[in-house]
Amino acid sequence: MQYLRIALTIFLMLMCSQAFAEKRVALVVGNSAYQHVPTLPNPKNDAGDMAAKLRDLGFVVVVGNDLDLAGVRRTISDFVDKLDGADMALFYYAGHGLQVNGENYIAPVDAKLLSYIDLEFEAVPMNLILSAMERTTRVNLVFLDACRDNPLAVNLARSMGTRSASVGRGLARVGSGIGSLIAFATQPGNIALDGVGRNSPFTAALLRHLGKPGRDITRELIDVRLDVLRDEWQAGVLGQFLAHWRGGAEVAGKAGAGDSDRDRHNGQCC
């Protein structure tokens, strides 16, 4: 944890020096309408709500929703063009993402990923965005709500056979330069909840806490993490309760059916 405290201290020093930043630029992408796997209910809502939040916080926002491969690349290019002269950059992504050999990829809505070769032609490395941000701006924020259970990753792993171990769960830990802070919906290598409401738990918490008066980014992200942990715990407890309830109901139903059979049998005897 010592390296994390040092990184956050450096980041806060940079944030203070940029308190009156004249130009803040954000890239917000939400992919919901996947063409070859089931759609995701939240990302388009998440991206729209996050874009509105960031505009309220003074960001120039480049938004992309339900982007195919060409759309992802075009939107990234628009974002990079706007980074010139920016004091702060932010990247937010909601949708399917995957890690292969420790590198993270965005999955456009037209991706199939039926073979390892498809990865190079159908997915976009997230490092393409992160490296452009770090080359151009001193302060960078990255929020990745892309740690969902991903059938595209399953397709890719199945096609790779004995090499499937290189396709990891969730997203991989990202190395970042000084002045960059990267937040995941859950711990690297894990899968996050998609949520049952309008927004995912991670994005809902970001919307609640980002930009609160008198709070620095460290305190805000701590509050975000606490909210997500609470939601995950509540979902886990509720899931266990429902499983127990359904199991009890099934047993009770079978017992009730047995009693009815005995009652009918006794009635016939009598």
Side-chain angles (χ1 to χ4, degrees):
M1 293 299 291
Q2 182 65 26
Y3 79 93
L4 179 59
R5 286 194 290 270
I6 295 172
L8 286 175
T9 300
I10 295 172
F11 183 81
L12 287 174
M13 292 172 61
L14 288 169
M15 286 288 287
C16 291
S17 69
Q18 299 293 328
F20 300 100
E22 294 181 355
K23 186 176 181 182
R24 300 175 177 182
V25 182
L27 171 61
V28 176
V29 177
N31 283 344
S32 285
Y34 283 89
Q35 299 171 12
H36 306 292
V37 295
T39 60
L40 294 172
N42 297 122
K44 191 172 182 178
N45 297 333
D46 292 338
D49 294 344
M50 183 59 67
K53 177 74 171 184
L54 293 174
R55 289 191 188 101
D56 289 342
L57 295 175
F59 283 83
V60 175
V61 183
V62 178
V63 184
N65 286 314
D66 293 335
L67 299 177
D68 59 13
L69 178 62
V72 171
R73 292 188 175 276
R74 182 174 58 252
T75 304
I76 293 172
S77 179
D78 291 344
F79 169 65
V80 172
D81 287 343
K82 288 181 169 57
L83 287 179
D84 187 32
D87 300 293
M88 180 186 297
L90 185 149
F91 171 44
Y92 169 89
Y93 176 67
H96 278 316
L98 66 157
Q99 61 158 310
V100 180
N101 291 323
E103 183 166 1
N104 295 321
Y105 293 83
I106 292 172
V109 296
D110 58 344
K112 294 181 181 178
L113 300 183
L114 298 178
S115 71
Y116 183 73
I117 295 175
D118 292 339
L119 184 67
E120 300 298 325
F121 295 96
E122 297 183 3
V124 178
M126 291 188 188
N127 193 52
L128 184 70
I129 304 167
L130 305 184
S131 59
M133 293 168 65
E134 292 185 343
R135 284 196 306 267
T136 310
T137 55
R138 294 180 61 199
V139 178
N140 299 289
L141 296 173
V142 179
F143 301 124
L144 299 177
D145 198 352
C147 306
R148 297 164 169 86
D149 195 12
N150 187 354
L152 292 169
V154 174
N155 291 347
L156 184 62
R158 186 181 297 118
S159 74
M160 294 174 66
T162 57
R163 295 177 298 161
S164 63
S166 63
V167 181
R169 285 166 50 90
L171 296 178
R173 187 179 302 278
V174 178
S176 59
I178 295 176
S180 296
L181 192 152
I182 301 173
F184 295 82
T186 188
Q187 293 179 346
N190 288 347
I191 294 174
L193 295 174
D194 198 37
V196 294
R198 173 178 173 81
N199 301 115
S200 74
F202 179 59
T203 297
L206 286 173
L207 294 171
R208 280 193 296 271
H209 295 293
L210 286 183
K212 278 189 173 181
R215 294 286 185 109
D216 58 47
I217 187 65
T218 306
R219 182 67 250 180
E220 290 171 352
L221 290 181
I222 290 173
D223 291 341
V224 166
R225 184 57 182 156
L226 290 174
D227 280 9
V228 171
L229 288 172
R230 181 199 63 205
D231 291 342
E232 289 177 345
W233 180 84
Q234 289 176 343
V237 170
L238 179 60
Q240 292 175 2
F241 170 77
L242 290 175
H244 178 75
W245 181 83
R246 287 169 182 158
E250 184 178 352
V251 171
K254 290 179 179 178
D259 290 342
S260 298
D261 290 342
R262 285 193 296 273
D263 290 342
R264 285 196 299 273
H265 181 70
N266 289 338
Q268 289 170 358
C269 290
C270 296

